[in-house]
């Protein structure tokens, strides 16, 4: 809470340190390979990492206390971001600030009384998104126009019942998002739409990527009592299995007590001289057979 530091990895010695003004404490922080944003109350400080030094570039003050920050580069090949995403207390909103001036680009009211707990800028299949998870396990997501700094196409999903932390990771060279909560979820894109797939773990408090010789392209997951090292299945096939019905499904229902699905399917039969036989062709006389 008192300072941001650059530490040399081999000797563990401190190379450089930056501190907010006297009397201020860092409450929220976000960084990438070259940039750092720190929040103290309602103030945001933008710091750049240059030649092993931390240089404060600018600061600004918002109307309300800052709940969460993100400065992730949207372009996978870039190490810098052009936008800071901010989640605010009190008015329950998110706003976008331009780097380096911290000029305000857009404000989006979320409504309700549950504060944002995690915010993330990410790109899926060439489309830029802003994701904002709340303290009740729900999440808003928007399509982001990076050039204009505008948000559009607001949608809301429920990922769990507890505060959620959003973290980016890569699997088979594809960027995905891991939602750490009491119902861990992997978020990815398919046919330019976001897809949410549950992970076979009961609860994950935090996640980070790990790519070591013994654990290539893996994840480190922190639960209440343990740390788990593992890999994610191929994202596009995550928990998906095709079941051939031989007929056209019309309705589906889930029974929680037995953990089973009931499917109503329909087929069309045609009356011919040799009797009733199923066909795909239309006919003047039809019957419907319903199977469960």
């Amino acid at each position: 809470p008192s300072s941001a530091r650059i530490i040399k990895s081999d000797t563990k010695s401190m190379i450089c340190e930056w501190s907010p003004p006297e009397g201020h404490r860092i409450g929220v922080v976000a960084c990438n390979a070259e940039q750092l944003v720190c929040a103290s109350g309602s103030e945001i400080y933008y710091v750049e990492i240059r030649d092993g030094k931390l240089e404060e570039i600018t600061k600004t003050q918002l109307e309300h206390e800052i709940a969460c920050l993100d400065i992730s580069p949207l372009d996978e090949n870039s190490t810098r971001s052009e936008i800071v995403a901010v989640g605010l207390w009190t008015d329950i909103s998110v706003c976008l600030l331009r780097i380096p001036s911290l000029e305000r680009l857009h404000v989006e009211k979320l409504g309700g009384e549950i504060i944002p707990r995690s915010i993330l800028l990410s790109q899926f299949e060439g489309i830029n998104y802003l994701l904002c998870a709340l303290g009740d396990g729900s999440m808003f997501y928007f399509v982001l126009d990076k050039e204009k700094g505008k948000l559009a196409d607001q949608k809301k999903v429920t990922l769990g019942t507890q505060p959620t932390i959003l973290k980016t990771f890569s699997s088979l060279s594809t960027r995905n998002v891991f939602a750490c909560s009491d119902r861990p979820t992997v978020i990815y894109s398919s046919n330019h739409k976001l897809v949410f797939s549950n992970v076979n773990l009961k609860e994950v408090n935090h996640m980070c990527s790990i790519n070591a010789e013994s654990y290539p392209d893996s994840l480190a997951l922190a639960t209440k009592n343990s740390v788990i090292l593992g890999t994610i299945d191929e994202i596009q096939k995550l928990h998906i299995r095709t079941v051939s019905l031989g007929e056209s499904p019309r309705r589906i229902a889930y029974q929680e007590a037995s953990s089973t699905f009931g499917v109503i399917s329909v087929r069309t039969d045609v009356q011919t001289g040799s009797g009733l036989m199923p066909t795909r062709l239309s006919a003047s006389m039809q019957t419907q057979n319903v199977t469960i």
Side-chain angles (χ1 to χ4, degrees):
S2 61
S3 67
R5 303 172 180 179
I6 296 180
I7 307 296
K8 193 171 180 62
S9 59
D10 52 357
T11 64
K12 306 298 186 293
S13 60
M14 184 173 67
I15 301 174
C16 182
E17 182 178 28
W18 172 89
S19 299
E22 187 176 353
H24 292 70
R25 294 171 65 83
I26 300 172
V28 187
V29 65
C31 69
N32 56 42
E34 297 185 20
Q35 300 163 300
L36 172 73
V37 283
C38 299
S40 176
S42 60
E43 291 185 337
I44 294 180
Y45 301 88
Y46 170 58
V47 179
E48 289 200 352
I49 305 169
R50 296 177 178 175
D51 300 323
K53 296 182 179 180
L54 295 168
E55 298 183 14
E56 182 180 329
I57 305 301
T58 187
K59 66 178 180 179
T60 190
Q61 183 159 357
L62 304 181
E63 291 84 356
H64 306 288
E65 187 175 351
I66 294 155
C68 49
L69 289 169
D70 186 57
I71 195 172
S72 299
L74 289 168
D75 187 349
E76 291 187 21
N77 299 319
S78 177
T79 56
R80 297 176 61 87
S81 176
E82 301 173 10
I83 294 175
V84 179
V86 185
L88 297 173
W89 294 63
T90 309
D91 69 341
I92 316 299
S93 65
V94 298
C95 69
L96 301 176
L97 308 178
R98 178 75 71 189
I99 292 176
S101 64
L102 297 184
E103 167 197 2
R104 188 173 311 182
L105 299 174
H106 184 81
V107 176
E108 189 78 26
K109 303 285 187 181
L110 302 179
E113 299 179 351
I114 309 300
I115 69 167
R117 297 299 297 268
S118 182
I119 195 167
L120 183 67
L121 296 163
S122 190
Q123 185 181 90
F124 300 95
E125 294 187 304
I127 301 176
N128 297 321
Y129 290 90
L130 173 70
L131 288 67
C132 183
L134 308 185
D136 62 352
S138 60
M139 187 190 80
F140 288 91
Y141 63 97
F142 307 83
V143 174
L144 167 63
D145 185 331
K146 185 175 69 172
E147 300 303 322
K148 297 180 179 179
K150 302 294 183 182
L151 299 175
D153 299 332
Q154 173 183 308
K155 292 182 175 62
K156 184 179 181 181
V157 296
T158 299
L159 302 179
T161 62
Q162 302 296 324
T164 300
I165 297 176
L166 303 171
K167 301 287 290 183
T168 302
F169 73 97
S170 294
S171 176
L172 300 177
S173 301
T174 302
R175 180 185 291 187
N176 309 285
V177 171
F178 196 101
C180 307
S181 70
D182 58 331
R183 297 174 188 169
T185 304
V186 170
I187 305 171
Y188 63 98
S189 179
S190 179
N191 297 322
H192 300 288
K193 292 184 179 180
L194 293 192
V195 180
F196 306 87
S197 292
N198 292 331
V199 180
N200 57 341
L201 293 172
K202 289 185 177 180
E203 184 174 5
V204 173
N205 297 325
H206 201 77
M207 185 278 317
C208 75
S209 299
I210 180 172
N211 188 23
E213 183 177 355
S214 300
Y215 302 100
D217 202 18
S218 302
L219 303 180
L221 307 171
T223 68
K224 184 178 180 180
N225 300 312
S226 63
V227 173
I228 300 171
L229 301 179
T231 58
I232 295 291
D233 293 335
E234 185 178 346
I235 296 297
Q236 279 68 23
K237 296 181 179 179
L238 198 64
H239 303 308
I240 296 174
R241 182 164 59 92
T242 301
V243 178
S244 178
L245 300 176
E247 299 177 354
S248 300
R250 298 296 296 273
R251 296 289 187 273
I252 186 169
Y254 177 67
Q255 186 179 62
E256 187 173 0
S258 60
S259 298
T260 57
F261 288 93
V263 180
I264 294 179
S265 62
V266 176
R267 79 167 187 265
T268 300
D269 295 338
V270 176
Q271 182 71 49
T272 66
S274 59
L276 197 65
M277 59 184 299
T279 181
R280 291 179 177 272
L281 301 176
S282 60
S284 56
M285 183 176 179
Q286 303 180 12
T287 63
Q288 288 188 327
N289 298 300
V290 179
T291 59
I292 299 181

